[in-house]
Amino acid sequence: MNFLDYTLEELHEKLVNKEVTAVDLVEASYKRIEETDESVGAFLGLNKEDALKAARETDEKGIDPDNILSGLPIGIKDNILTKDVVTTAASKMLEDFVPVYDATVVEKLKAVGMITIGKLNMDEFAMGGSTENSAYKLTRNPWDLNKVPGGSSGGSAAAVAAGQVPVSLGSDTGGSVREPAAFTGLVGVKPTYGRVSRYGLIAFGSSLDQIGPFTRTVKDNALVLNAISGYDSKDSTSYHGETTDFTEGIDKGVKGLRIGVPKEYYNEDAKEDGVIKAVREALDLYEKMGAEIVEVSLPHSKYGIPAYYIIASSEASSNLQRFDGIRYGYRSENVESLEDIYVKSRSEGFGLEVKRRIMLGTFSLSSGFYDAHFKKAAQARTLIRNDFDKVFKEVDVLVAPTTTTTAFDIGGKIDDPLAMYMSDILTVPVNLAGVPSLSVPCGFSNDMPVGMQIIGKHFDEQMMYRVAYAFEKETDHLSRKPSLKGGA
């Protein structure tokens, strides 16, 4: 069985009709991983014994016809806690860490009967845009093994794109679900801040982080978000509003809707020609389907990158203080004093990019520099959010490219941090504003997938999915599948 050939609903139908069993699906997942992961490098660890046990129990109990996700395999990004399963955040600092509880999203997935296959590679502590910053392995893009899958959730994207699992979870702090989704031809969502519980997510930027699913289709994505969203008393930033079915009204089409086109996101000089062309063709299609295309302005988005990297790094500096060789994490053996424990453990346990961001964040928060850096970044963030609030009084959604280019070559930006940071230029404003955004495949450039992000109003994921679904039904981008060619 190839997961690239079926939607979640189709797999569910096969389970209900007893054409396959949950054990069959889990075994198919591990078989595909065995065949492909040596070249793709998506998984850091597998959970085979427990997964097969859970699958057998599901089959014995019987598949609930009304529960579409029951018995389906899923991969989990390695910064999301999984009880009794090693969780490293792709860092040497946590190489032997075994959580004693599940993240809320994992609890919710277990409650609907999904089966965790294993933990997926990522940029260390979710800091990076290419999944080249993992302490353990390199993940490659299934469309071209010489290219990156994006980051930081590159393992989560690569596993779904390679057909190893039908769905996976990632986390998005500044674009870390949407960029890999764009680079690997998948659907990936960054929900409204507070929509999905962060309890059990190893924190990077606490005011920015959100967990979101990767799937091949829009409706599949909505179904998984249904399962993991909702209020959680263990997360003080969790949204108290009513539970929403994101598939409701998904097939209403776009006739009469107003789609905003933020002009700042279409600077032709700064983007790959094929990316702009694919997104503009998508806008033409929306117009033919009856939507009104309206040019809007988000003038303060140009401050997104500097504001984001100060705020995110400052929060990371605070969140990662606990990893000191005493309370949590790796402890250096070559020490002679308490100071040695702190300095050497953190120096040896953290990778270069993590140390770079801790230093930037600590500097931004330090006495004498707080007002000039962190305070200014927070003020810019408010202006960015106000821009979104203003344009959403005029339009139903915004449509823009997800990334400025298609997937770049492995090693192409790793030695140039500023170039890597600029890869997030179109995604970070969404995180700063807290609004939801969904990346969907909208075409190809140089035989690599192009992603288009559909940005919605706060807590209006339903409209976002509706607009994305209408586009997906009118196109055939899903008919093309990765070749798993290339590589060293």
Side-chain angles (χ1 to χ4, degrees):
M1 172 169 287
N2 189 338
F3 292 122
L4 298 176
D5 294 333
Y6 302 98
T7 66
L8 299 187
E9 286 182 305
E10 288 167 345
L11 290 173
H12 173 68
E13 188 176 341
K14 284 183 172 294
L15 286 168
V16 171
N17 294 335
K18 301 189 184 304
E19 295 174 44
V20 297
T21 65
V23 170
D24 291 335
L25 295 183
V26 169
E27 288 180 340
S29 180
Y30 285 119
K31 184 171 186 283
R32 181 66 175 170
I33 292 167
E34 185 179 343
E35 292 169 347
T36 61
D37 210 48
E38 186 176 345
S39 55
V40 175
F43 278 89
L44 284 177
L46 299 175
N47 189 36
K48 192 169 184 178
E49 187 178 331
D50 289 343
L52 286 169
K53 180 183 176 185
R56 285 191 290 269
E57 290 172 353
T58 298
D59 288 331
E60 289 168 8
K61 186 172 62 175
I63 301 295
D64 179 358
D66 298 323
N67 180 4
I68 289 174
L69 301 180
S70 178
L72 299 184
I74 186 169
I76 308 291
K77 186 176 179 179
D78 202 37
N79 62 343
I80 299 171
L81 300 191
T82 43
K83 184 179 180 181
D84 299 329
V85 179
V86 173
T87 301
T88 69
S91 177
K92 183 179 178 181
M93 182 61 78
L94 288 174
E95 61 184 345
D96 297 319
F97 176 57
V98 180
V100 296
Y101 64 94
D102 283 320
T104 294
V105 291
V106 174
E107 284 184 349
K108 285 175 174 282
L109 292 172
K110 285 182 176 179
V112 296
M114 295 201 84
I115 299 167
T116 300
I117 295 298
K119 304 305 289 291
L120 291 155
N121 197 26
M122 55 182 284
D123 283 305
E124 182 182 4
F125 283 102
M127 299 181 194
S130 64
T131 312
E132 293 172 280
N133 291 319
S134 170
Y136 300 106
K137 68 196 303 184
L138 179 68
T139 299
R140 298 176 180 271
N141 192 318
W143 290 88
D144 182 342
L145 297 175
N146 292 308
K147 295 186 182 294
V148 302
S152 63
S153 308
S156 299
V160 177
Q164 297 174 344
V165 285
V167 58
S168 67
L169 288 189
S171 65
D172 191 311
T173 306
S176 289
V177 167
R178 287 161 292 149
E179 186 208 53
F183 281 2
T184 59
L186 299 175
V187 180
V189 69
K190 196 292 289 185
T192 306
Y193 183 77
R195 173 69 82 182
V196 176
S197 172
R198 293 184 298 109
Y199 182 75
L201 173 68
I202 297 173
F204 164 17
S206 301
S207 73
L208 302 158
D209 298 338
Q210 275 291 277
I211 296 168
F214 290 91
T215 57
R216 292 196 69 246
T217 71
V218 172
K219 192 171 184 182
D220 283 356
N221 204 277
L223 288 168
V224 180
L225 188 60
N226 278 348
I228 64 172
S229 63
Y231 174 68
D232 179 14
S233 61
K234 297 188 289 290
D235 176 4
S236 63
T237 62
S238 182
Y239 175 56
H240 281 260
E242 293 181 6
T243 303
T244 304
D245 177 1
F246 302 112
T247 65
E248 186 178 339
I250 199 170
D251 57 355
K252 284 185 176 179
V254 295
K255 188 174 183 179
L257 297 183
R258 289 169 62 85
I259 294 177
V261 178
K263 61 183 181 182
E264 292 81 7
Y265 287 48
Y266 289 80
N267 177 2
E268 312 276 352
D269 296 334
K271 295 173 183 63
E272 188 178 310
D273 290 344
V275 171
I276 290 289
K277 181 174 181 288
V279 177
R280 290 203 180 279
E281 287 174 354
L283 290 169
D284 290 341
L285 179 57
Y286 275 128
E287 199 163 30
K288 288 177 184 175
M289 289 191 286
E292 181 183 356
I293 308 301
V294 182
E295 184 176 84
V296 297
S297 179
L298 298 170
H300 296 100
S301 287
K302 63 185 177 183
Y303 302 119
I305 288 289
Y308 169 81
Y309 277 97
I310 288 173
I311 291 170
S313 298
S314 297
E315 293 182 1
S317 170
S318 176
N319 281 322
L320 270 59
Q321 284 184 58
R322 70 195 75 176
F323 303 109
D324 56 12
I326 294 178
R327 289 173 291 181
Y328 291 93
Y330 167 86
R331 180 183 292 191
S332 177
E333 295 180 2
N334 183 28
V335 296
E336 296 179 358
S337 66
L338 180 61
E339 184 177 352
D340 267 2
I341 292 177
Y342 291 137
V343 174
K344 290 185 177 179
S345 296
R346 288 170 68 82
S347 296
E348 296 168 14
F350 288 135
L352 179 61
E353 182 59 33
V354 174
K355 286 186 276 195
R356 182 184 289 122
R357 297 200 195 190
I358 288 173
M359 291 173 68
L360 173 59
T362 303
F363 173 77
S364 299
L365 292 172
S366 60
S367 177
F369 296 98
Y370 177 89
D371 286 348
H373 297 287
F374 186 83
K375 184 178 178 181
K376 286 290 184 186
Q379 290 170 330
R381 180 182 195 168
T382 300
L383 294 174
I384 289 168
R385 174 167 177 151
N386 290 346
D387 284 347
F388 279 100
D389 289 343
K390 182 179 179 182
V391 299
F392 278 129
K393 292 176 181 176
E394 305 171 27
V395 299
D396 296 294
V397 295
L398 300 172
V399 168
T402 306
T403 56
T404 57
T405 67
T406 53
F408 48 87
D409 290 340
I410 290 170
K413 296 184 180 182
I414 194 66
D415 295 324
D416 187 348
L418 289 180
M420 188 74 79
Y421 294 172
M422 291 304 290
S423 300
D424 299 333
I425 193 168
L426 300 179
T427 53
V428 295
V430 163
N431 298 78
L432 291 167
V435 294
S437 178
L438 178 79
S439 182
V440 293
C442 71
F444 293 83
S445 176
N446 300 318
D447 291 323
M448 293 299 291
V450 174
M452 169 179 72
Q453 62 175 331
I454 299 166
I455 305 168
K457 301 173 184 177
H458 285 100
F459 300 105
D460 196 11
E461 284 88 350
Q462 216 170 48
M463 177 63 74
M464 195 172 68
Y465 280 118
R466 172 182 165 185
V467 172
Y469 186 76
F471 176 77
E472 182 182 81
K473 298 302 285 184
E474 293 294 321
T475 56
D476 63 350
H477 302 313
L478 289 175
S479 64
R480 290 181 65 171
K481 292 170 184 154
S483 64
L484 271 75
K485 293 180 180 177

